[in-house]
Each structure stands twice: as C-alpha cells, then as structure tokens.
Amino acid sequence: MTAPPLLSLEGIAKRFGRVQALAGAGLAVRAGTVHALLGENGAGKSTLMHVAYGMIRPDAGTIRVAGAPVTFANPRGARAAGIGMVHQHFTSVPAFTVAENVALAAGWAVRPAALRARVRALAERLGLPLDPDARAGDLPVALLQRLEIVKALASEARVLLLDEPTGVLTPPEVDDLLALARRFAGQGGAVVLITHKLDEALRATDEVTVLRRGQVVLARPVAGASARDLASAMVGDATALDEPPPAPAPGDAPVRVRLAGLSVRREDGTAPAVQGAELVVRAGEIVGVAAVEGNGQRELLRAVAGVLPAEGTLEVAAPVSFIAEDRTTEGLVPAFTLTENVALGLGRAAPWVRGPSLDWAAARRRTAALIADYDVRAPGPDARASALSGGNQQKLVVARALERRPAVLVAENPTRGLDLAATRAVHDRLREAAGRGLAVLVHSSDLDEVLALAHRVVVVSRGRVVPVPVGASRQWIGGLMLGVEGALA
C-alpha cells in the first residue's frame, strides 16, 4: 500500500478583499522528494505555503499531514505537526545571538551553556555550522540564510518549506542549499521549493506544481520537462520571455559617473570595503557589477547613490535614483498605501507637491498609472504595500525609481523575487531607460543576469574594482569574483 503524502493541500481557496489569491489550489508532497512550486508573481505560491504553515487560514479546502486532516490556528501548530518554513525575507532578530534566535523559533528554554551546545550540535548535524554566540545582525547573507534553515528544522520538522531561498545567494551557496534540500529529502523528509529559477527546479527537484492566478495549471514529475514547458505553464507563452542581446554600448557619450581613487568604509564605519576604485559610466550605458557577497559591491553602489560617504573623486550626475536590495526594510513602508509609498519616495520633486501642500488626488492618479504601466498586480493605489506579493512590491519600487527621470540609476538586485515575465519587463525598462540616455549601474547576485543585461561588466573582489575584458568567459569571470583571476584564464 502506498504511503500518503507527508503534506497535501486540497481545494484551498483564499480571498483578500476583491483579490482571489487562491481558487481551489493544492499540491501533494511525498516523503523523500523535493517538490518545486512555480508561478508568476501573485500566482498564489507564498499564500499557499502560508496556509500550509498556519500563517493564513483558508476560506475553504483541506490540509493533511501524513494523510490525517489538520487545522492550524498559527505557525506553532504547524511546527508541532512537523512543518518548518524558511521565509523569503529573514525573520531573525538582529540583536539576538544565533542561539537565542533558534530558541525563540523552537520554543527552547534559554539556559546559555546548554542552549549553545544544543544549537551547535544541531547545526553540525545538519551540515550547517554556525557560531551560537554570533549576533544575527553581524552575519553575512549566506549565514543568515543558514540560520533561517536551522531555525526551521529545530523542531524536528519532516516537511521543509523554502520560499525563494536562493534569491541573494552566490552560485556556490545556491549549490550548497540545494544539496541540503536533497540530503534532507534523502533522509525521509519532504521539501517544497518556491523558485523563479527554472534551472534550479529542473536540476534539484523531483516533482513540480505550477500555479497561475491561484489555480493549479500543471502538476507532473520533473523528469522529461524542459524550461520552456515550465515557462509556458507559468505565463502561457514562453516565447514572450526570450530576451534580445544587449544593444551596442555608446562610444563617447557624456560621462555620468566618474570614480577615481575612491575609498568607501563599511557601513559600520570600520575597515575600508572599497579602496582605490576607478570607474566611468557613460550616458546610455548599463554597467553590471559582479561580486560575491561581502566584497565591497554594496558599499560601492551605495556611495555612487549618495547613501554612504566616500573619499576620493566621486562625480555623479543628478538626479540619482536608487533601488535598494531589501524592498521591505529600505524600499517600501509595508503599512503605507501604494500612493503613500510613491509620494514618500519621490519627495518634494513630485508634481503634486506645491509648497507645504500635497495633492493626494493627483498622487493617486499617477500611482494608478504606474500600477497599470508596470503590471503591478494590486487592488488599486490605496492598497497597502504589505498586501502585495514580493514581486509586485519590487515592480512598484522599480516604477517609482524610473518615475524620477534620473540621470543615473543605481540598482541592487532589481529583479530579486521576480518571476520570468516580470524580470524580462524590468530588463526591458532598464534598456529603454539607457536608450534615453540614462546611466545604469546594476548589481545582481545572478551572474547570468549581469552578463545578459550589461554592456560591460566590472568585478568587485576584496574591495578592488576590476574591469572584465570583452569576450571573457563566464568561468573566467567566476574565478575573478573568487579572487583567482589567473587560475582560469
């Protein structure tokens, strides 16, 4: 007799006001498998997983764990049933230590010596070593992601839900995380992986479910599927996602960004993160920044954007727009409406600001136009930013940045959390803006995205800005990012 799935959701429906987020959706995840959950932004992926984790109560449908129907009033009930979740955005308390964050998530008693030993043993058993005494706020992105996984598994979870876990990881870190998922499944667990990266779904999962507008449109084994099959299920027309090659770079257009001998300290003001940087970005040019986390690319981009102070020559044409990496803490105020976020981001330069007064009707009209132009799926300009999916929040951030008509755009991971169609749309917008004379400096954790989008590429490695020769291979650039430029030539 075949064992029932470890986790199954059947006929799940959920409405938020006028938005039908889920309409009879479901999936079944078997022990020993990694299951991909795909779909466009706003398709209902995160909502479905939040139902499975007890964060959202469905309007209809059934949740089963190992065949038995269950009802979760909150995430504590889901954890007690053996379900752990790693959210798209980190949930650790920055001021707490690693051990304290794990104790908070798992409900463990805080007896310092015993807690440290327990956390260290758990992390090592999972193959994810962590220093129990390290402050979460001091950890780099990769270790924060590791902490989130340890927290999720601290309650002896049998099912692990991963919501866009690779968005800010480097390729080697992605490989490590996917290997962990396979290892966990190989030990009898089950994993659900939400991802927009079809190559991850194809190489790391066993089965796939695709949602479109809250409904299941495809459920099948991954074996024999192609990226185009999955893309067609997600958006209906995979050919629309094909991107053109970068247009030729402008030759002697005016210089919009000039760096010479630039040094930038880390955000905490301690050691230099960037030293002696030289860089020129011309009008109409997209310059891509490739780097492994923590090598100074964040400080470099933020100095150009005017967010961090710098020493040396820094000449940047005004106005400058900045797309921060984390939309939930720097890009948007989740409790504010979309109109309020647009008005806040554009500031006094907005046409609806007249002295001390603000024409809210004009701001709403323009926000509604941006929502339509950038395909932000939202009930309207008065919806709160927190009500949007992560990808739709990001589309609003990009729309607002370009609405300023900047001379220079600085972007940190501008397509993080976006689906295929939305990523293509953002790329098109950046290309169009460059075509109008905008100078774009963009970093992405995805090297393939940098190579596809940029006219030319620079690598930031150990605080040095190194230009990439025309025609350099992906492997050579990867070696340069790791500081071994001579080894792969």
Side-chain angles (χ1 to χ4, degrees):
M1 183 175 178
T2 304
L6 269 187
L7 173 67
S8 64
L9 297 99
E10 304 160 3
I12 303 296
K14 183 63 184 179
R15 178 182 288 276
F16 298 100
R18 292 178 295 166
V19 177
Q20 185 73 49
L22 296 171
L27 82 166
V29 190
R30 297 178 295 109
T33 66
V34 181
H35 195 113
L37 181 58
L38 308 180
E40 290 187 273
N41 294 127
K45 307 180 300 298
S46 293
T47 302
L48 187 63
M49 290 301 92
H50 289 165
V51 168
Y53 193 55
M55 295 177 65
I56 293 174
R57 284 200 175 190
D59 299 329
T62 303
I63 306 171
R64 299 180 191 274
V65 175
V70 295
T71 300
F72 299 137
N74 50 47
R76 183 181 301 173
R79 289 194 296 269
I83 300 172
M85 185 167 185
V86 175
H87 300 274
Q88 186 174 357
H89 298 285
F90 302 141
T91 60
S92 296
V93 180
F96 283 12
T97 67
V98 165
E100 289 165 344
N101 271 288
V102 174
L104 180 65
W108 292 351
V110 181
R111 299 185 182 91
L115 177 61
R116 286 196 297 270
R118 188 175 184 182
V119 170
R120 183 178 286 110
L122 171 65
E124 290 177 354
R125 175 167 62 83
L126 296 173
L128 300 170
L130 284 167
D131 177 3
D133 295 319
R135 279 182 66 256
D138 296 333
L139 297 179
V141 169
L143 291 185
L144 274 174
Q145 183 70 279
R146 185 177 293 185
L147 172 58
E148 295 294 322
I149 296 171
V150 171
K151 286 164 47 183
L153 297 179
S155 300
E156 302 299 326
R158 295 177 295 163
V159 180
L160 181 60
L161 313 177
L162 300 174
D163 190 355
E164 291 286 348
T166 64
V168 294
L169 301 182
T170 64
E173 291 163 352
V174 170
D175 291 341
D176 289 344
L177 187 141
L178 297 179
L180 167 71
R182 290 251 48 110
R183 199 162 59 242
F184 181 78
Q187 295 167 353
V191 179
V192 179
L193 174 67
I194 297 179
T195 181
H196 291 308
K197 299 177 181 178
L198 299 186
D199 63 316
E200 292 178 3
L202 291 170
R203 68 187 168 99
T205 67
D206 305 292
E207 297 178 339
V208 58
T209 295
V210 179
L211 296 182
R212 193 192 306 165
R213 298 191 180 273
Q215 296 180 310
V216 175
V217 295
L218 180 71
R220 58 162 292 171
V222 168
S226 68
R228 191 159 292 277
D229 295 334
L230 301 182
S232 294
M234 290 168 63
V235 302
D237 180 12
T239 60
L241 303 179
D242 294 334
E243 294 203 38
D252 12 348
V255 172
R256 298 298 188 214
V257 177
R258 185 190 304 277
L259 315 181
L262 192 79
S263 295
V264 188
R265 291 190 173 275
R266 299 199 178 280
E267 290 181 274
D268 60 7
T270 58
V274 177
Q275 297 188 70
E278 308 276 340
L279 180 64
V280 167
V281 186
R282 295 182 179 275
E285 188 177 29
I286 302 175
V287 174
V289 177
V292 174
E293 178 70 25
N295 274 265
Q297 74 276 17
R298 178 181 170 91
E299 290 82 0
L300 176 73
L301 267 67
R302 287 175 177 242
V304 174
V307 176
L308 289 179
E311 299 174 356
T313 299
L314 173 59
E315 300 170 358
V316 184
V320 180
S321 279
F322 176 51
I323 298 175
E325 183 170 50
D326 193 335
R327 57 183 167 266
T328 59
T329 59
E330 295 182 276
L332 297 169
V333 180
F336 282 13
T337 67
L338 305 189
T339 299
E340 290 167 340
N341 272 288
V342 169
L344 181 64
L346 295 182
R348 292 186 175 276
W352 49 74
V353 176
R354 299 184 180 95
S357 302
L358 194 152
D359 184 347
W360 282 108
R364 285 190 188 92
R365 287 194 298 271
R366 186 56 197 152
T367 301
L370 290 177
I371 289 171
D373 291 348
Y374 285 79
D375 190 29
V376 180
R377 297 183 183 175
D382 294 324
R384 296 192 183 279
S386 59
L388 273 61
S389 70
N392 283 299
Q393 290 176 349
Q394 186 73 350
K395 285 192 276 188
L396 183 74
V397 170
V398 172
R400 186 182 62 191
L402 293 175
E403 176 71 3
R404 297 189 69 216
R405 298 289 188 262
V408 176
L409 174 66
V410 180
E412 296 176 332
N413 278 309
T415 63
R416 178 186 175 191
L418 298 189
D419 59 40
L420 295 170
T423 295
R424 166 67 192 271
V426 170
H427 288 179
D428 286 347
R429 294 286 183 173
L430 295 182
R431 292 186 177 111
E432 289 169 7
R436 297 193 303 269
L438 186 71
V440 180
L441 184 65
V442 59
H443 165 66
S444 172
S445 301
D446 186 341
L447 176 57
D448 291 326
E449 179 176 29
V450 172
L451 297 177
L453 183 61
H455 293 114
R456 59 187 175 90
V457 177
V458 297
V459 166
V460 180
S461 177
R462 300 173 187 173
R464 296 182 303 128
V465 177
V466 184
V468 172
V470 176
S473 70
R474 186 184 188 282
Q475 184 184 27
W476 193 91
I477 298 171
L480 191 62
M481 291 166 65
L482 296 171
V484 290
E485 60 260 38
L488 299 175

